[in-house]
């Protein structure tokens, strides 16, 4: 449909990345004589398309990590931390950045005293008022009382909770719930990480497609490769946004 001389796509904003990167990625499978050209998605949380894929990827990583840790014999807990009651939305985010490293070091120290290696998967969330609180899936035996005392001493609110995870499958619903809430809020500072993990939280396996070679190109080089591959009889899928 044209409006004011501009042709608009009929695709919904949640069906395509709104700001794809201005580079061209080409994948070639020589054995199958197939190729694909596309612009990588922006991966931004304020992009309707990418936010859904980001949430799916992080949910997978959180659930997979929880399952692996449980199989290794680790006990998990759901932990919720709040901000100071008087904090404004901006203050709560600023205080979180300052105070979380201090609280995390305490949690690691006290967890290690019981011969448990501290590990976590965290989702910050904004309340309806915009004030920040956070949810964790953590490898720890620290209970609610410990979190209430130590969170307050390091600059968080006194309201805190810690419950055991009875089944790893519950982690998927937990992460999905809070990521869905997080996506609804767009008033996040630039560069603020919507999901955070400790360095030792299990990473997903490499997902590079076997048999495919990948390279990046500017527009001119991408068109040259496109026509060359077509001339050589490759089945080329052009998925570029422009």
């Amino acid at each position: 449909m044209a409006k004011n001389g501009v042709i608009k796509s009929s695709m919904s904003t949640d069906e395509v990345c709104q700001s794809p990167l201005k580079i061209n990625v080409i994948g070639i499978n020589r054995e199958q004589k197939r190729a694909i050209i596309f612009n990588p998605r922006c991966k931004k949380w304020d992009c309707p398309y990418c936010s859904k894929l980001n949430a799916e990827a992080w949910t997978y990583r959180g659930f997979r990590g929880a399952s692996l840790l449980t199989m290794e014999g680790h006990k998990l807990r759901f932990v919720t931390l709040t901000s100071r009651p008087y904090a404004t939305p901006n203050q709560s985010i600023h205080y979180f950045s300052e105070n979380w490293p201090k609280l995390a070091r305490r949690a690691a120290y006290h967890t290690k005293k019981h011969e448990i290696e501290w590990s976590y998967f965290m989702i910050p969330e904004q309340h309806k008022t915009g004030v920040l609180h956070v949810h964790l899936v953590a490898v720890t035996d620290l209970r609610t009382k410990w979190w209430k005392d130590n969170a307050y001493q390091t600059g968080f609110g006194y309201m805190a909770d810690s419950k055991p995870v009875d089944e790893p499958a519950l982690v998927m619903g937990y992460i999905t719930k809070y990521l869905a809430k997080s996506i609804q809020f767009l008033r996040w500072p630039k560069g603020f990480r919507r999901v955070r993990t400790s360095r030792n939280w299990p990473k997903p396996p490499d997902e590079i497609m076997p048999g495919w070679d990948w390279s990046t190109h500017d527009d001119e080089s991408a068109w040259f490769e496109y026509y060359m591959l077509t001339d050589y009889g490759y089945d080329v899928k052009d998925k570029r946004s422009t």
Side-chain angles (χ1 to χ4, degrees), residues 48-177:
Y49 176 79
C50 289
S51 64
K52 291 183 178 180
L53 295 183
N54 291 346
E56 290 175 2
W58 279 111
T59 299
Y60 167 72
R61 182 174 177 185
F63 171 66
R64 179 178 180 274
S67 299
L68 290 174
L69 290 166
T70 300
M71 286 190 292
E72 293 171 0
H74 298 287
K75 301 295 184 181
L76 305 177
R77 299 186 76 87
F78 292 131
V79 179
T80 299
L81 303 172
T82 59
S83 297
R84 285 282 208 264
Y86 56 78
T88 66
N90 288 338
Q91 287 175 335
S92 67
I93 292 174
H94 175 73
Y95 294 155
F96 166 77
S97 299
E98 284 190 344
N99 298 330
W100 170 246
K102 294 183 289 186
L103 181 57
R105 285 193 294 269
R106 286 195 186 192
Y109 173 76
H110 286 277
T111 298
K112 189 175 181 180
K113 286 173 65 176
H114 300 144
E115 299 184 348
I116 300 173
E117 184 179 11
W118 162 253
S119 180
Y120 67 86
F121 183 103
M122 174 196 286
I123 304 172
E125 181 197 348
Q126 294 185 56
H127 189 264
K128 292 179 180 179
T129 61
V131 176
L132 187 75
H133 56 282
V134 297
H135 305 277
L136 296 88
V137 180
V139 177
T140 184
D141 60 348
L142 303 175
R143 305 196 175 193
T144 298
K145 180 65 166 60
W146 187 93
W147 288 104
K148 283 179 175 288
D149 294 343
N150 288 270
Y152 194 83
Q153 291 170 14
T154 53
F156 286 85
Y158 182 70
M159 297 298 295
D161 188 43
S162 175
K163 297 178 180 177
V165 178
D166 297 323
E167 291 289 342
L170 296 176
V171 172
M172 181 176 290
Y174 183 87
I175 294 173
T176 301
K177 174 183 176 181

Side-chain angles (χ1 to χ4, degrees), residues 204-220:
D206 292 335
E207 297 180 355
I208 298 176
M209 298 163 59
W212 288 75
D213 297 320
W214 301 91
S215 56
T216 58
H217 301 261
D218 59 25
D219 289 341
E220 183 177 356

